[in-house]
Amino acid sequence: MEQMEDALRALLSRALSEGEARDLAGITIESSWQRFAPRLCAVFSDGYRTSQLLRPSTCFAFCERHAVWDVEALRERLLCEAQHIYAQMLQEQRVPCEVAGQAWLPAVMRRLRIGLSRWRRQHLPMMEAVGTRRFLEDREAWARGLRLLVEQLSPEQRRQYNRSGYFDVTGGVSGKQYRIRQGSSMNIEQLDKKGRRVCTLCFTPRGGLVTGDVMLAQKVALEAFEREALRIANKFY
Amino acid sequence: MGVQIVMDRSGDTRHEFDTADASAVALAEERFRELTGKGFRAVALGKDGSPGTLLRNFDPEAEQTLFIPQLQGG
């Protein structure tokens, strides 16, 4: 899985490769809007902006790791993280400037980006209004799903999940052991008696549910109607 | 007090009903039939995370009933 640190590093690396070192002013997430995917965006003191695609799972993992559940706290945490990485990159001079020998190219790129930034500034308020609302809704649904999952885990499963990011389930009919990992597809392993993986199972509830709901549905299905779940599941050896 | 938890895109939607109120129970039973008719699986959740029980028929005594959308292979 892509880590937020990797995404920030790639973003800052691009900014450094396209001009002189600037002061980092902020990190934002522009949420998905219609056909556009969410983007991680770095804003610099001279108005320069650069962005790149961001997977929602990366964002959620970051929120979870740092226990930040509102947009302001997330921005602050991202900026703090980015500033640390940026300072490190400047200090170590690890800027991958592939076009160093072509002095004109960074300048052209910069002008193009400034032009694009101006266009986006004109259109961004509407995009952000829609995007932020969707991001907040997604985040609340995700948190609600996770809360329901944790409520329905046994104390041992909860300990295991908090410690390792997965929990084990015993099949209601066969008594076989299954391990449900964080995720919503290809995240169930059937285990042998020694705890080794026998195969990977993949089944999910329909309807594009959030991760917590999917994991809870998988747990409940394996415990309460294992045969049906196994009949539906795809198996990968 | 009983609660029906329906998984959906918003995480879940909860419908609470008073098990002593006949009209509320009838409404809950109607919801049960409607959802299971659409392919949802109804499971009476166990206490403290213990395994639940698949419900084929409405059980007004079930404290928490979870409705899971139809499963599909991934």
Side-chain angles (χ1 to χ4, degrees), chain B residues 22-40:
Chain B
S23 62
V25 172
L27 201 65
E29 185 169 5
E30 180 58 33
R31 191 179 296 116
F32 180 95
R33 285 192 186 144
E34 186 188 331
L35 289 169
T36 50
K38 285 180 183 171
F40 279 73

Side-chain angles (χ1 to χ4, degrees), chain A residues 126-137:
Chain A
M126 181 187 66
M127 292 169 71
E128 278 194 336
V130 177
T132 304
R133 193 170 66 239
R134 186 164 294 178
F135 174 76
L136 289 172
E137 285 170 1

Side-chain angles (χ1 to χ4, degrees), chain A residues 144 202 204 206 213 228 234, chain B residues 7 10-11 41 49 70 72 74:
Chain A
R144 196 178 297 126
C202 191
T204 59
R206 291 177 193 269
D213 281 356
E228 182 187 335
N234 286 321
Chain B
M7 287 182 168
S10 72
R41 291 284 174 273
Q70 200 167 12
Q72 61 184 358

Side-chain angles (χ1 to χ4, degrees), chain A residues 7 15 21 23 25 27 34 66 120 138 147 169 185 218:
Chain A
D23 290 331
I27 298 285
Q34 291 187 357
H66 295 282
R120 288 179 60 161
D138 288 352
R147 203 160 47 239
V169 168
S185 65
Q218 291 167 337

Side-chain angles (χ1 to χ4, degrees), chain A residues 4-236:
Chain A
M4 185 63 88
E5 288 74 16
D6 297 336
L8 285 170
R9 194 171 285 279
L11 190 67
L12 296 169
S13 173
R14 188 192 308 150
L16 282 170
S17 73
E18 289 177 4
E20 72 281 6
R22 312 165 175 90
D23 290 331
L24 181 62
I27 298 285
T28 58
I29 294 175
E30 294 169 2
S31 295
S32 53
W33 180 71
Q34 291 187 357
R35 65 193 172 87
F36 298 109
R39 297 188 75 83
L40 184 65
C41 183
V43 184
F44 292 83
S45 54
D46 61 355
Y48 172 80
R49 294 169 68 106
T50 184
S51 65
Q52 69 165 42
L53 287 174
L54 177 68
R55 290 182 187 159
S57 58
T58 304
C59 185
F60 289 141
F62 185 84
C63 290
E64 192 176 31
R65 193 162 63 248
H66 295 282
V68 287
W69 298 114
D70 62 87
V71 175
E72 281 311 309
L74 174 62
R75 281 182 179 162
E76 275 177 31
R77 188 64 227 172
L78 278 171
L79 181 60
C80 181
E81 195 88 8
Q83 279 173 333
H84 175 72
I85 293 170
Y86 194 52
Q88 206 176 30
M89 290 172 76
L90 287 172
Q91 195 177 7
E92 295 173 4
Q93 294 184 329
R94 289 197 311 205
V95 186
C97 188
E98 294 172 4
V99 293
Q102 302 171 9
W104 58 273
L105 189 56
V108 170
M109 291 293 289
R110 189 178 169 192
R111 279 183 199 153
L112 281 172
R113 286 189 175 277
I114 289 169
L116 183 62
S117 293
R118 277 188 195 139
W119 181 87
R120 288 179 60 161
R121 265 198 294 277
Q122 289 170 1
H123 296 83
L124 209 56
M126 181 187 66
M127 292 169 71
E128 278 194 336
V130 177
T132 304
R133 193 170 66 239
R134 186 164 294 178
F135 174 76
L136 289 172
E137 285 170 1
D138 288 352
R139 186 189 58 135
E140 282 167 13
W142 188 83
R144 196 178 297 126
L146 192 65
R147 203 160 47 239
L148 180 63
L149 168 69
V150 172
E151 277 172 16
Q152 298 304 329
L153 294 178
S154 68
E156 176 52 32
Q157 286 172 331
R158 202 172 299 142
R159 265 196 299 277
Q160 203 180 12
Y161 181 54
N162 289 336
R163 192 177 60 238
S164 316
Y166 61 74
F167 54 88
D168 292 346
V169 168
T170 304
V173 176
S174 67
K176 287 177 182 169
Q177 287 294 306
Y178 302 96
R179 178 160 293 167
I180 300 178
R181 295 185 179 277
Q182 179 79 29
S184 51
S185 65
M186 300 283 288
N187 63 319
I188 309 169
E189 293 173 350
Q190 185 185 318
L191 306 176
D192 66 13
K193 287 177 182 172
K194 290 184 178 175
R196 292 173 302 195
R197 190 187 78 90
V198 176
C199 66
T200 298
L201 302 173
C202 191
F203 67 89
T204 59
R206 291 177 193 269
L209 300 183
V210 291
T211 305
D213 281 356
V214 172
M215 292 170 72
L216 178 58
Q218 291 167 337
K219 164 190 150 68
V220 170
L222 288 170
E223 288 174 341
F225 48 103
E226 184 187 10
R227 279 189 191 138
E228 182 187 335
L230 293 181
R231 197 178 63 243
I232 292 167
N234 286 321
K235 300 175 184 65
F236 303 90

Side-chain angles (χ1 to χ4, degrees), chain B residues 2-68:
Chain B
V3 59
Q4 294 176 319
I5 306 168
V6 185
M7 287 182 168
D8 56 28
R9 279 178 181 272
S10 72
D12 61 79
T13 303
R14 297 178 185 228
H15 304 276
E16 292 188 358
F17 61 96
D18 184 354
T19 48
D21 181 345
S23 62
V25 172
L27 201 65
E29 185 169 5
E30 180 58 33
R31 191 179 296 116
F32 180 95
R33 285 192 186 144
E34 186 188 331
L35 289 169
T36 50
K38 285 180 183 171
F40 279 73
R41 291 284 174 273
V43 177
L45 293 172
K47 285 187 179 167
D48 212 9
S50 57
T53 312
L54 182 65
L55 296 177
R56 301 283 180 196
N57 298 300
F58 176 67
D59 178 6
E61 300 302 315
E63 279 183 26
Q64 287 189 311
T65 306
L66 179 68
F67 290 89
I68 302 169

